[in-house]
Amino acid sequence: MRFGKTLKQSIYEPWRDKYIEYDKLKSLLREDRPDDDEPWTEEDEVRFCDEIFNVQLEKVAQFQEEKMQELRQRVDAAFDKLKDLPPADSENKDKPTDEALAQRLKELEAELDAITNEVKELRKYSNLNYTGFLKIVKKHDRKRGDRYKIRPIMQVSLSKRPFNSEQGYTPLLNKLSLLYFAIRQHLEENGSVEPYHLDPISQPETHNGEKYTAYKFWVHPDNLLEVKTYILRRLPALVYSHQSSKEWDGDEDPTITSLYFDNANFQLYYQKVEREAEASSLRLRWYGQLSQNPEIVFEQKIIHDNGTSEERKFPIKEKYIKPFLDGEYKMEKSIQKMERQGQSTADVEEFRSTAEAIQDYIRSNKLEPVVRANYVRTAFQNPGDDRIRLSIDTDIAFIREDTLDRDRPCRDPNNWHRTDIDDSNMIYPFKNINHSEVSLFPYAVLEIKLKEEPNRKRPVWVTDLMASHLVHPCPRFSKFMQGVASLFEDYVNRLPFWLPDLDTDIRKDPQVAFEEEEVKRAHRAQNEQVVGSFLGTKLGNSFKPSRSSPVAKSYLAERVAAESSGAKAQTPASGATDRTPTAVTPAGELNESSSSQQQDGGQQQGGRSEYGTMSLSSVFPGFSLSKYSKAMRLKRAQGEGGRRGSVTLPPGVEEPTEWLKNSGPLQIEPKVWLANERTFLKWQHICVLLGGLAISLYTAAGRGTVAEWIAVGFIIIAAFAGGWGYFLLHSRRKMIIERSGKDFDNFFGPLVISVALMVALILNFSFAYRDFLARAAVEALFIQSSNSSASHIDLR
């Protein structure tokens, strides 16, 4: 079916005049005049580009943005209505009766249903228009693109707008999910409501009866090595078994081939793109080269109404695949082999029913192989532990396997696979294939599967990886959908929502990615708090932004500003300088308000000076040289209450009796403990050195000499050094155990030792110099007397 007909059949009547005018654009390209020989001029090109970029694209983008903003406002209004309802544990006398509350909740649910329907229609609207723009520019480049190719320009324009992007719908759907969960918790009599999933990018799956939550991400080649090394520190690489790849020697990751099925109308593709109920995909999968006779598995994946997925699969030999597809073989030999091996009747019947169901599905829908996905998989998993499973697919290539063109089929219609690839053991990047029949995916695909277990939280390192700049979230990514969309664009009239991201650089700045994730987590926590308050329970995990989080900065700024204005309004002018409003951070710590910061320097705003450099108080929040801050620290030390006594806590908030840093079990890093002991040993070294010097000096000195008194002084200094080291060892050990916030530095001991040594050296020098002068005077007197005696003798 041509896209123009699909567009007319899919138009949502209330928005009819907001869609792309596809027929008008085709007429500008003269598609309605096949025999037109008139040359395509510069004016025609300008007219067409002006219409598609400045009129059609702007019209659709503006309506998309306005409608999305309207839906956000309606969802926020529904949240406000939920806030107005009394909590479940409320004892308010004005609390409505159960019947009245149920009626209001049903009205709110009807409003949510209307919003949800419009969200679905808006998503279809975005998808149709996105496909239409790509289709029409492709027609332009093929027919009128001798001088101008506008498809790259259109792709850039579409990527700059929130067209057909799942990221724009995720916060909205998350809020709707929360509201539905809260309403159904009240309206369902048996209370059997499905648990609320906090991550809108997740997808529930079922494997061998076990439930998993799957997350999919793209990884840029520049970040691939870093992602692998990050995972390898936590999980070992999974070694594939001999059955999976018979010739694989373990030196390299195995190559996986998936052969996907569909019919000429791409029925399975449309079901997955439009997310229809019971959408299914079918494939044949094997490891390594087909010439190595690997195990081949038939797999069918079904997406149910509630979003969960189910897999049906059974092994099949290569020689039986074609007869099975034609309905001539019913897997009788495999069933007989299972019975001879003594397998249980239940296993045999399950195998038989699975094979019959898949065969009936193939025959009834006229399915045949249409696209091949070839990729290298690196898996990570603890041996014998399937709670956390990660896989990275690289070197992804999609290849046509269809026979849609009967004159030039990509695959022999009498065979189930392409023999030109498998017989020659062709590998990535498949250079011997026509370029129009192969599409290389630019990124690696990371898939994280977490086993659902009660009272089990997601590992912290997995959460950090998912929120990092190294990965780009792509929920519901499908290799089947990507392969069809990239190779059969002329045959399909719907495209996946992630295609615009392929034209952008998915690499992110680490700081920007961190700030965006913090904002998302804060919004989710705020929404969960509203619903949890209404239900009288707690949803999700408590959110505590880090110090560098933009959420924490904005929170503190708003809180400080609010309390500062309140203090000015309630406090008399005479006492305005005696009180300082405080702000309690989410981490439970106290920070002085901006008024005290202004008193510290008068130039600081938001932790920065007027020259844009960080101030000392911003680096050390508890440090200030102002008289006010010194007075406040003195009052706190004297137990007079200080700032905390001047704060009026809001209702429901109690003053903490213990700092958060002091709560929980005592955990001391070995390097802290050993550093204290190392300092003690240094002091003992000084003590032994000075003591040895003093003993040597005392032994060599005579009775009553100056050296003897100097030696005694050195002994006293050595004893003080040993005692000071012992005192520091025990005092600092006590501070570590008590988790004291006091400063570990103490300048008294080093100062005493330095001054004493300096005094001792000065006294020693002065005494030695005095003795030198005395000896010099005696020697001069002796020489003088000797000279006079000699002259007297000569006179005689």
Side-chain angles (χ1 to χ4, degrees):
M1 184 184 298
R2 293 190 174 275
F3 178 76
K5 188 175 181 180
T6 301
L7 179 62
K8 292 178 181 178
Q9 294 178 354
S10 305
I11 283 180
Y12 184 53
E13 285 300 326
W15 305 341
R16 171 171 287 276
D17 57 340
K18 303 299 181 181
Y19 285 81
I20 178 177
E21 298 181 52
Y22 194 73
D23 291 339
K24 181 178 181 180
L25 293 173
K26 286 177 61 178
S27 65
L28 290 176
L29 287 177
R30 303 174 192 166
E31 282 282 321
D32 52 349
R33 292 178 285 178
D35 299 330
D36 183 24
D37 296 333
E38 184 179 350
W40 184 258
T41 64
E42 189 81 19
E43 294 180 358
D44 296 330
E45 184 71 25
V46 172
R47 188 183 305 110
F48 177 81
C49 292
D50 180 69
E51 179 66 27
I52 192 173
F53 287 105
N54 299 333
V55 179
Q56 300 296 327
L57 183 58
E58 291 300 325
K59 176 184 69 174
V60 174
Q62 183 178 358
F63 178 77
Q64 163 87 14
E65 181 62 29
E66 292 175 355
K67 203 64 185 177
M68 182 63 73
Q69 184 64 26
E70 177 188 339
L71 291 173
R72 292 194 191 101
Q73 293 175 357
R74 291 173 64 181
V75 172
D76 292 340
F79 249 88
D80 293 337
K81 292 180 182 179
L82 190 65
K83 290 180 182 179
D84 295 338
L85 296 177
D89 55 353
S90 176
E91 299 180 357
N92 190 356
K93 297 181 180 179
D94 298 333
K95 181 178 180 180
T97 61
D98 294 340
E99 294 79 6
L101 180 60
Q103 181 61 30
R104 293 173 64 179
L105 289 176
K106 289 180 179 179
E107 294 176 357
L108 185 58
E109 185 179 20
E111 173 65 16
L112 294 181
D113 291 339
I115 296 175
T116 303
N117 292 333
E118 285 212 7
V119 170
K120 293 179 180 178
E121 293 296 336
L122 184 60
R123 190 184 178 282
K124 292 180 181 178
Y125 169 87
S126 302
N127 185 276
L128 272 174
N129 286 282
Y130 175 81
T131 306
F133 283 117
L134 291 182
K135 290 276 187 181
I136 197 65
V137 296
K138 186 175 182 180
K139 285 181 178 292
H140 170 275
D141 291 354
R142 184 171 58 237
K143 187 175 181 178
R144 308 295 183 185
D146 296 336
R147 290 183 296 174
Y148 305 101
K149 302 288 186 181
I150 65 173
R151 182 181 174 92
I153 302 176
M154 175 58 69
Q155 289 176 334
V156 172
S157 300
L158 291 175
S159 64
K160 292 181 178 179
R161 294 171 170 82
F163 256 100
N164 204 35
S165 175
E166 192 75 5
Q167 302 300 323
Y169 293 93
T170 297
L172 197 63
L173 295 177
N174 191 30
K175 280 190 175 183
L176 288 172
S177 178
L178 271 170
L179 287 169
Y180 273 119
F181 175 76
I183 292 173
R184 287 171 182 168
Q185 280 284 80
H186 268 273
L187 295 182
E188 293 288 340
E189 295 180 358
N190 54 5
S192 59
V193 181
E194 289 292 330
Y196 168 70
H197 294 280
L198 294 179
D199 289 298
I201 65 173
S202 64
Q203 181 178 352
E205 294 184 359
T206 303
H207 301 280
N208 300 325
E210 300 287 348
K211 292 185 177 180
Y212 290 85
T213 303
Y215 306 85
K216 293 184 179 180
F217 303 88
W218 291 348
V219 182
H220 195 277
D222 293 350
N223 299 329
L224 183 59
L225 181 60
E226 187 173 356
V227 171
K228 285 186 176 181
T229 54
Y230 179 86
I231 298 174
L232 282 172
R233 295 190 186 101
R234 282 88 181 172
L235 289 178
L238 180 65
V239 178
Y240 286 83
S241 64
H242 180 72
Q243 289 78 10
S244 298
S245 181
K246 291 187 177 181
E247 300 297 329
W248 185 65
D249 58 2
D251 293 336
E252 296 180 355
D253 295 322
T255 300
I256 301 178
T257 302
S258 296
L259 198 61
Y260 292 98
F261 287 70
D262 210 334
N263 52 29
N265 298 324
F266 292 95
Q267 177 183 347
L268 302 189
Y269 169 80
Y270 282 122
Q271 288 178 354
K272 291 183 69 68
V273 171
E274 297 176 3
R275 300 181 189 176
E276 295 183 3
E278 304 301 320
S280 177
S281 62
L282 185 67
R283 69 178 177 179
L284 283 168
R285 187 183 65 172
W286 65 88
Y287 289 79
Q289 297 294 339
L290 194 60
S291 60
Q292 300 169 353
N293 297 323
E295 182 183 58
I296 304 176
V297 181
F298 241 124
E299 295 181 348
Q300 183 184 16
K301 188 174 182 180
I302 305 173
I303 308 296
H304 296 295
D305 294 339
N306 57 1
T308 60
S309 64
E310 177 187 358
E311 278 191 353
R312 300 173 182 173
K313 58 183 179 180
F314 66 91
I316 186 173
K317 292 185 178 180
E318 179 184 355
K319 60 182 178 180
Y320 296 134
I321 294 178
K322 182 60 177 176
F324 180 83
L325 296 177
D326 295 336
E328 301 172 358
Y329 178 64
K330 304 290 184 181
M331 302 300 296
E332 298 92 349
K333 294 185 178 181
S334 298
I335 295 174
Q336 294 172 3
K337 183 179 179 181
M338 294 176 67
E339 293 175 347
R340 288 195 306 267
Q341 292 176 349
Q343 298 191 25
S344 63
T345 306
D347 293 340
V348 174
E349 286 300 321
E350 182 181 0
F351 181 88
R352 186 199 310 271
S353 61
T354 301
E356 290 179 353
I358 292 179
Q359 190 175 49
D360 293 341
Y361 188 75
I362 293 174
R363 302 291 295 170
S364 61
N365 293 282
K366 299 180 180 180
L367 302 180
E368 61 180 18
V370 294
V371 66
R372 172 190 299 226
N374 186 275
Y375 49 93
V376 177
R377 169 160 293 182
T378 306
F380 305 89
Q381 179 182 333
N382 283 322
D385 186 0
D386 60 350
R387 292 178 298 177
I388 306 176
R389 300 163 56 183
L390 283 81
S391 64
I392 299 179
D393 297 337
T394 56
D395 296 343
I396 304 175
F398 302 102
I399 306 170
R400 291 184 58 167
E401 292 265 349
D402 64 284
T403 59
L404 297 178
D405 189 352
R406 297 297 178 181
D407 298 329
R408 298 175 57 187
C410 298
R411 168 181 52 85
D412 184 1
N414 297 322
N415 210 329
W416 62 273
H417 66 103
R418 291 187 62 159
T419 56
D420 58 333
I421 296 177
D422 297 322
D423 293 348
S424 62
N425 293 333
M426 198 179 301
I427 60 175
Y428 185 89
F430 303 95
K431 295 182 178 180
N432 297 331
I433 299 180
N434 192 326
H435 292 302
S436 62
E437 298 177 2
V438 62
S439 174
L440 304 181
F441 193 68
Y443 306 124
V445 177
L446 168 66
E447 184 173 12
I448 302 175
K449 291 184 179 180
L450 304 177
K451 191 175 183 179
E452 294 184 3
E453 294 179 348
N455 301 325
R456 177 177 173 82
K457 296 182 180 180
R458 182 196 303 162
V460 177
W461 69 270
V462 175
T463 303
D464 293 341
L465 175 61
M466 294 169 55
S468 70
H469 68 285
L470 301 174
V471 297
H472 176 78
C474 189
R476 299 181 181 87
F477 175 78
S478 168
K479 295 185 181 70
F480 168 57
M481 293 168 59
Q482 175 62 31
V484 173
S486 59
L487 295 173
F488 299 92
E489 187 176 346
D490 293 336
Y491 293 86
V492 296
N493 296 325
R494 290 282 201 281
L495 297 176
F497 65 85
W498 60 74
L499 282 187
D501 294 338
L502 291 176
D503 302 321
T504 60
D505 188 356
I506 63 173
R507 290 172 294 184
K508 306 174 185 175
D509 181 81
Q511 182 63 26
V512 174
F514 166 74
E515 293 178 356
E516 291 178 353
E517 182 63 23
E518 286 289 301
V519 172
K520 292 178 182 178
R521 291 177 59 194
H523 289 168
R524 285 203 300 267
Q526 182 181 8
N527 298 335
E528 291 158 8
Q529 183 180 10
V530 173
V531 176
S533 175
F534 173 68
L535 296 176
T537 184
K538 181 181 179 181
L539 291 179
N541 301 323
S542 58
F543 172 66
K544 297 179 180 179
S546 58
R547 290 181 179 271
S548 59
S549 172
V551 179
K553 295 176 183 177
S554 60
Y555 174 84
L556 285 175
E558 295 175 359
R559 185 70 181 270
V560 168
E563 294 186 358
S564 178
S565 61
K568 291 180 180 180
Q570 298 178 6
T571 306
S574 59
T577 58
D578 295 333
R579 297 180 61 188
T580 303
T582 60
V584 184
T585 68
E589 299 182 355
L590 293 171
N591 289 332
E592 292 183 0
S593 69
S594 57
S595 60
S596 63
Q597 294 176 0
Q598 292 174 359
Q599 292 180 7
D600 289 342
Q603 303 293 337
Q604 302 172 9
Q605 293 182 358
R608 294 183 177 273
S609 68
E610 62 179 351
Y611 300 102
T613 57
M614 296 298 294
S615 63
L616 188 60
S617 62
S618 64
V619 179
F620 303 100
F623 182 82
S624 177
L625 296 176
S626 66
K627 295 180 180 179
Y628 178 79
S629 298
K630 292 180 180 179
M632 295 305 299
R633 288 199 296 269
L634 180 60
K635 291 176 68 178
R636 287 198 299 270
Q638 295 174 351
E640 296 181 5
R643 292 178 302 169
R644 298 177 62 180
S646 63
V647 176
T648 302
L649 297 176
V653 178
E654 299 180 356
E655 183 177 356
T657 58
E658 185 180 19
W659 293 100
L660 282 178
K661 67 182 181 65
N662 295 336
S663 61
L666 179 63
Q667 296 180 352
I668 301 175
E669 293 187 17
K671 63 180 182 180
V672 176
W673 196 266
L674 295 176
N676 187 33
E677 294 185 351
R678 191 162 53 247
T679 304
F680 169 74
L681 295 177
K682 287 291 185 181
W683 278 108
Q684 300 311 306
H685 176 72
I686 295 174
C687 173
V688 172
L689 184 64
L690 292 178
L693 177 64
I695 295 299
S696 301
L697 187 61
Y698 185 82
T699 304
R703 289 283 181 177
T705 61
V706 175
E708 181 181 11
W709 291 108
I710 295 297
V712 172
F714 275 115
I715 292 176
I716 296 175
I717 297 174
F720 176 81
W724 180 256
Y726 184 81
F727 166 75
L728 279 185
L729 174 68
H730 287 276
S731 62
R732 288 177 176 174
R733 179 180 295 178
K734 181 179 179 182
M735 293 170 64
I736 293 173
I737 295 176
E738 293 178 352
R739 292 185 275 205
S740 174
K742 297 179 181 179
D743 196 352
F744 279 74
D745 293 339
N746 197 324
F747 298 103
F748 178 74
L751 187 62
V752 170
I753 297 294
S754 301
V755 172
L757 288 176
M758 187 177 298
V759 170
L761 292 175
I762 292 175
L763 290 176
N764 188 21
F765 176 79
S766 61
F767 290 150
Y769 186 71
R770 188 185 61 179
D771 292 344
F772 170 75
L773 293 179
R775 288 197 301 272
V778 171
E779 290 177 357
L781 183 62
F782 177 75
I783 293 173
Q784 182 178 4
S785 61
S786 298
N787 293 334
S788 61
S789 299
S791 59
H792 181 69
I793 293 173
D794 293 338
L795 289 175
R796 283 184 179 183

